[in-house]
């Protein structure tokens, strides 16, 4: 502890250089935490998938739809408990930047299949009995300042025109990964679009989870030679394939993260090497006074690690604070986005490693320094 | 009085590429406890090399140095550093204070290696600074002090851990005459009042006069001053 003061004084000796290095570490760890949080959020999407639910989609791509006529046959399968269906709406609220996910659903089957949407019973009844009604996540209500029974207007993009909706219910997602979406009656979409709307995905709830693979195979076999062949997956796999539309996002983000880490490693190494080079005579004096090679090694290494921890912790906490306060979720694409405690721990481990690696060469050089040779440089 | 320093057949050879440069040749020397010894000689005669060997910061090529009861030529690494911290006070020509530390912090530096408490360290530092007459400059940085004051802080740093042996490498070499006299007076006081053994390298005959004994080193060979 008695050497902490010495480490701190040495860090302050070139204030501008130390501050710039500190800020570069803050920015780097802020970015690192952001990237890790994106990855964590994307990965958490798989957690909301349920193995008891199957998703049937067009085998060509998720952007192609399926006919409503499939509904009765799917319901008739003996292993199926219930069938619901959804369609992506893609409307704009006032202006384009106000993006949030909107789905046309079959209300009764959908709500009974998704207990993850927690909604008061009276609001649920109000939603079910009114064709233009919708339910929205409480986060959206807060974000746009809506109130229950407000009418909101969306501008259709896939289904053109002005689309009024009455908010009859506000749900709370059981897990934050479920996100803040808007759900409304598929029948309303079908009728107002003059029967242009089809089905984006069918969702099947099974009586027995163990039958999932068998049922999926039966469905896909049945529609194999039709104009709308299907791909049936359990919900987790479906969400995984949805994410894969972005490409190998994990590899991309991890590569960027590593590049950032490498960059701060270079910056910190440079700072430490310059700092030690300026202090060669002082280090020689300290050794003359009786500081051992090992103690000098530890002091220089501790200086690098201390600087990195200071910057890293600030960067991590800033990221956590900023995203928590702003409620950032990339316009709904990253529901539940936040910098977790686990991300902060990972960031701090990276920080300590960077500090260690950047300090080890100057620390080793200092410990190996010959007193007599170094004193000649005074 | 028993000798505190016993140098036997000390040889130091430097190598520059394939060239062999002998600096100290088969040198022997006895220094009594409480002596104030001036070491004189022309530039390149090996004075500083001998001082560095005595301080344990340079290694002789052959021979032995016994200081107190310890043969320091047999010590290496950590044990040598520990011995230095407990037994040697070193005073440099250019003071070599750490510029970012105050006078107090510079003097406290050797005490960080001891097990003294913070309070005890403070007491030791204040005592050392009062001995050198700088109690009123305790929180000044080296840049805020004159050359003579800087050297006083350096002397305080050398004596703060109460070593028996003080080694001074041209302590007045960078000072004006008045400051040099003050420093020499201080060293003399440390020798007489605090019974410190002092070995001082100097070019200045006036400085040498303050010491009790003067020895000459020329081309690596020692000779005693003829009265």
């Amino acid at each position: 502890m008695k050497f902490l003061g010495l480490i701190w004084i040495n860090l302050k000796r070139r204030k501008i250089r130390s501050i710039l290095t500190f800020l570069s570490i803050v920015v780097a760890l802020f970015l690192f935490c952001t990237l890790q949080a994106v990855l964590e959020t994307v990965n958490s999407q798989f957690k909301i998938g349920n193995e008891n639910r199957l998703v049937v989609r067009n085998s060509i791509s998720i952007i192609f739809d399926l006919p409503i006529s499939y509904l009765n046959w799917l319901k008739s399968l003996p292993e199926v408990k219930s069938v619901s269906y959804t369609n992506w709406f893609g409307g704009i609220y006032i202006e384009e930047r106000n993006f949030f996910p909107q789905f046309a659903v079959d209300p009764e089957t959908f709500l009974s299949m998704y207990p993850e949407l927690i909604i008061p019973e009276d609001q649920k009844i109000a939603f079910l009995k009114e064709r233009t009604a919708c339910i929205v996540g409480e986060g959206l209500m807060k974000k746009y300042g809506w109130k229950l029974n407000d009418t909101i207007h969306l501008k259709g993009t896939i289904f053109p025109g002005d689309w009024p909706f009455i908010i009859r219910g506000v749900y709370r997602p059981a897990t934050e990964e479920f996100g803040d979406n808007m759900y409304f009656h598929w029948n309303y979409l079908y009728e107002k679009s003059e029967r242009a709307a089809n089905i984006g995905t069918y969702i099947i709830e099974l009586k027995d989870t163990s039958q999932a693979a068998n049922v999926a195979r039966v469905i896909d076999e049945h529609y194999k030679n039709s104009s709308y062949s299907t791909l049936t997956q359990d919900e987790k796999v479906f969400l995984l394939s949805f994410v894969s539309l972005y490409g190998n996002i994990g590899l991309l983000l991890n590569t960027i993260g590593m590049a950032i880490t490498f960059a701060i490693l270079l910056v910190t190494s440079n700072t430490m090497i310059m700092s030690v080079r300026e202090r060669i005579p002082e280090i020689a004096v300290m050794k003359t006074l009786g500081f051992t090679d090992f103690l000098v090694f530890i002091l220089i290494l501790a200086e690098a690690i201390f600087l990195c921890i200071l910057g890293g912790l600030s960067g991590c906490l800033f990221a956590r604070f900023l995203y928590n306060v702003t409620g950032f979720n990339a316009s709904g694409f990253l529901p539940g986005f936040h910098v977790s405690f686990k991300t902060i721990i990972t960031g701090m481990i990276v920080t300590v490693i960077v500090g260690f690696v950047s300090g080890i060469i100057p620390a080793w050089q200092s410990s190996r320094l010959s007193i007599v040779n170094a004193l000649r440089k005074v | 009085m028993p000798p505190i320093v016993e140098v036997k057949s000390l040889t130091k050879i430097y190598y520059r590429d394939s060239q062999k440069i002998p600096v100290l040749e088969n040198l022997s020397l006895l220094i009594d406890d409480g002596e104030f010894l001036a070491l004189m000689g022309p530039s390149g005669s090996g004075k500083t090399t001998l001082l560095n060997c005595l301080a344990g910061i340079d290694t002789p090529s052959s021979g032995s140095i016994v200081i107190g009861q310890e043969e320091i030529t047999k010590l290496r690494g950590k044990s040598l550093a520990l011995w230095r911290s407990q037994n040697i006070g070193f005073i440099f020509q250019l003071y070599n204070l750490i510029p970012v530390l105050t006078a107090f912090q510079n003097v406290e530096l050797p005490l960080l290696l001891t097990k003294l408490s913070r309070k005890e360290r403070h007491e030791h530092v204040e005592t050392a600074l009062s001995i050198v007459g700088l109690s009123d400059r305790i929180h000044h940085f080296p840049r805020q002090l004159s050359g003579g004051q800087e050297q006083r802080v350096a002397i305080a740093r050398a004596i703060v851990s109460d070593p028996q042996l003080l080694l001074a490498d041209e302590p007045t070499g960078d000072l004006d005459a008045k400051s040099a006299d003050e420093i020499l007076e201080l060293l003399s006081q440390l020798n007489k009042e605090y019974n410190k053994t002092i070995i001082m390298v100097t070019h200045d005959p006036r400085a040498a006069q303050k010491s009790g004994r003067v020895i000459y080193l020329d081309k690596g060979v020692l000779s005693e001053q003829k009265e």
Side-chain angles (χ1 to χ4, degrees):
Chain A
M1 285 302 286
K2 59 188 172 190
F3 293 108
L4 266 182
L6 198 59
I7 292 169
W8 180 241
I9 287 168
N10 279 323
L11 281 175
K12 288 195 302 181
R13 97 176 26 223
R14 299 268 182 207
K15 281 200 183 72
I16 291 178
R17 185 172 66 199
S18 290
I19 288 170
L20 289 176
T21 308
F22 165 80
L23 287 177
S24 67
I25 298 169
V26 171
V27 172
L29 262 293
F30 174 80
L31 291 174
F32 179 87
C33 285
T34 304
L35 294 176
Q36 286 299 311
V38 170
L39 261 180
E40 209 171 274
T41 308
V42 168
N43 289 332
S44 70
Q45 298 302 301
F46 313 136
K47 291 183 203 160
I48 63 175
N50 188 320
E51 284 164 356
N52 198 36
R53 293 193 291 249
L54 292 179
V55 178
V56 184
R57 68 165 172 95
N58 193 302
S59 64
I60 299 168
S61 165
I62 196 164
I63 61 169
F64 295 104
D65 51 20
L66 294 169
I68 185 69
S69 58
Y70 285 12
L71 179 64
N72 286 335
W73 185 81
L74 291 172
K75 276 183 181 171
S76 72
L77 291 171
E79 298 87 350
V80 170
K81 188 177 168 190
S82 70
V83 181
S84 188
Y85 45 91
T86 70
N87 206 349
W88 177 259
F89 181 64
I92 295 168
Y93 176 64
I94 304 176
E95 52 188 332
E96 273 187 38
R97 66 188 178 95
N98 296 332
F99 171 84
F100 55 88
Q102 306 123 20
F103 296 94
V105 300
D106 178 45
E108 278 188 48
T109 52
F110 186 80
L111 287 182
S112 68
M113 214 180 271
Y114 282 91
E116 293 93 334
L117 303 177
I118 301 164
I119 181 168
E121 197 54 34
D122 58 327
Q123 292 180 16
K124 185 176 170 181
I125 292 165
F127 168 57
L128 290 176
K129 70 182 183 187
E130 192 172 358
R131 185 151 294 200
T132 56
C134 69
I135 57 171
V136 297
E138 58 186 9
L140 284 178
M141 294 291 283
K142 195 174 161 190
K143 183 176 179 183
Y144 296 112
W146 296 334
K147 290 185 215 64
L148 200 63
N149 302 322
D150 274 0
T151 298
I152 59 168
H153 291 260
L154 299 184
K155 192 171 82 181
T157 53
I158 304 167
F159 307 98
D162 175 56
W163 293 77
F165 298 95
I166 305 167
I167 301 170
R168 292 298 188 201
V170 179
Y171 74 85
R172 180 169 58 82
T175 59
E176 58 181 6
E177 291 85 9
F178 212 88
D180 289 308
N181 305 327
M182 171 184 164
Y183 299 100
F184 62 94
H185 292 242
W186 183 86
N187 284 345
Y188 178 48
L189 175 70
Y190 185 67
E191 285 162 18
K192 197 168 183 312
S193 67
E194 296 174 344
R195 303 184 179 193
N198 261 322
I199 304 298
T201 55
Y202 284 101
I203 302 156
I204 294 171
E205 190 175 15
L206 296 167
K207 289 173 182 166
D208 178 4
T209 308
S210 66
Q211 291 298 311
N214 184 37
V215 173
R217 188 175 47 77
V218 167
I219 295 169
D220 292 344
E221 279 290 319
H222 184 76
Y223 292 114
K224 192 176 177 183
N225 296 317
S226 75
S227 312
Y228 298 92
S229 60
T230 59
L231 176 65
T232 307
Q233 300 162 305
D234 78 48
E235 201 175 41
K236 277 182 189 291
V237 177
F238 169 74
L239 290 169
L240 186 68
S241 69
F242 193 73
V243 170
S244 72
L245 284 174
Y246 296 110
N248 196 339
I249 195 168
L251 178 69
L252 178 71
L253 296 183
N254 279 324
T255 307
I256 297 170
M258 279 195 290
I260 292 168
T261 308
F262 187 65
I264 54 163
L265 180 69
L266 295 181
V267 170
T268 318
S269 295
N270 188 45
T271 300
M272 287 311 300
I273 287 170
M274 282 200 294
S275 172
V276 166
R277 188 173 294 167
E278 287 165 1
R279 278 189 274 159
I280 284 174
E282 290 176 28
I283 292 166
V285 170
M286 287 167 73
K287 284 186 168 192
T288 306
L289 297 178
F291 281 67
T292 60
D293 293 349
F294 181 69
L295 182 55
V296 168
F297 178 89
I298 292 294
L299 286 175
I300 301 292
L301 193 62
E303 204 175 306
I305 293 174
F306 189 67
L307 177 64
C308 284
I309 287 178
L310 216 59
L313 192 62
S314 305
C316 290
L317 293 180
F318 178 59
R320 186 177 166 91
F321 174 76
L322 185 77
Y323 295 130
N324 281 4
V325 165
T326 59
F328 173 82
N329 65 1
S331 299
F333 271 112
L334 296 170
F337 181 85
H338 73 289
V339 176
S340 68
F341 188 63
K342 184 183 151 201
T343 298
I344 291 179
I345 294 290
T346 310
M348 290 316 295
I349 290 171
V350 168
T351 301
V352 171
I353 292 172
V354 167
F356 184 83
V357 175
S358 63
I360 198 147
I361 290 175
W364 185 78
Q365 286 173 334
S366 306
S367 72
R368 303 283 297 165
L369 199 72
S370 149
I371 300 176
V372 175
N373 290 339
L375 285 175
R376 287 199 190 110
K377 294 184 180 176
V378 174
Chain B
M1 209 176 279
I4 187 171
V5 177
E6 189 174 356
V7 180
K8 276 187 196 163
S9 309
L10 192 74
T11 300
K12 176 71 184 177
I13 299 166
Y14 284 116
Y15 293 91
R16 189 173 294 152
D17 300 326
S18 58
Q19 203 183 354
K20 205 171 162 184
I21 307 166
V23 181
L24 303 174
E25 285 186 85
N26 201 27
L27 187 149
S28 294
L29 175 67
L30 289 175
I31 301 169
D32 288 335
D33 192 10
E35 235 189 308
F36 187 173
L37 179 90
L39 184 57
M40 296 190 74
S43 293
S45 59
K47 303 184 297 296
T48 298
T49 302
L50 175 58
L51 202 71
N52 289 344
C53 288
L54 291 174
I57 60 175
D58 205 351
T59 323
S61 304
S62 66
S64 72
I65 301 170
V66 178
I67 295 180
Q69 303 297 314
E70 195 76 63
E71 186 173 345
I72 65 159
T73 35
K74 284 187 177 167
L75 297 177
R76 292 284 180 276
K78 190 180 170 185
S79 52
L80 185 58
L82 181 68
W83 173 84
R84 234 178 3 246
S85 70
Q86 292 170 345
N87 297 283
I88 296 291
F90 206 101
I91 302 158
F92 301 90
Q93 180 185 355
L94 296 174
Y95 336 125
N96 283 357
L97 299 176
I98 311 280
V100 290
L101 301 182
T102 61
F104 183 93
Q105 289 165 331
N106 265 291
V107 177
E108 190 189 18
L109 212 49
L111 298 182
L112 295 178
L113 303 170
T114 66
K115 288 179 179 169
L116 293 176
S117 68
R118 188 183 167 89
K119 187 169 172 266
E120 288 167 328
R121 289 202 307 269
H122 278 225
E123 285 168 5
H124 280 65
V125 172
E126 280 164 9
T127 306
L129 283 168
S130 72
I131 289 172
V132 300
L134 282 180
S135 297
D136 56 338
R137 296 282 189 273
I138 208 162
H139 297 303
H140 285 60
F141 287 94
R143 64 174 181 278
Q144 297 167 321
L145 301 171
S146 68
Q149 287 171 330
E150 279 195 73
Q151 192 60 296
R152 281 166 182 271
V153 175
I155 291 170
R157 182 177 65 185
I159 62 171
V160 72
S161 52
D162 196 24
Q164 180 52 35
L165 187 59
L166 292 182
L167 303 173
D169 190 2
E170 299 193 47
T172 58
D174 201 47
L175 299 175
D176 59 68
K178 185 171 174 287
S179 301
D181 281 344
E182 286 169 3
I183 293 298
L184 289 170
E185 200 52 52
L186 180 58
L187 289 175
S188 188
Q189 182 195 349
L190 289 172
N191 174 244
K192 285 174 185 153
E193 290 180 27
Y194 297 92
N195 197 36
K196 299 289 175 199
T197 306
I198 301 175
I199 304 171
M200 175 176 69
V201 167
T202 183
H203 280 293
D204 182 3
R206 285 192 325 124
Q209 277 174 5
K210 291 270 181 187
S211 66
R213 178 158 71 121
V214 181
I215 55 172
Y216 289 89
L217 190 61
D218 193 9
K219 293 177 184 167
V221 180
L222 273 182
S223 62
E224 201 89 10
Q225 186 185 30
K226 305 280 186 299
E227 291 294 338

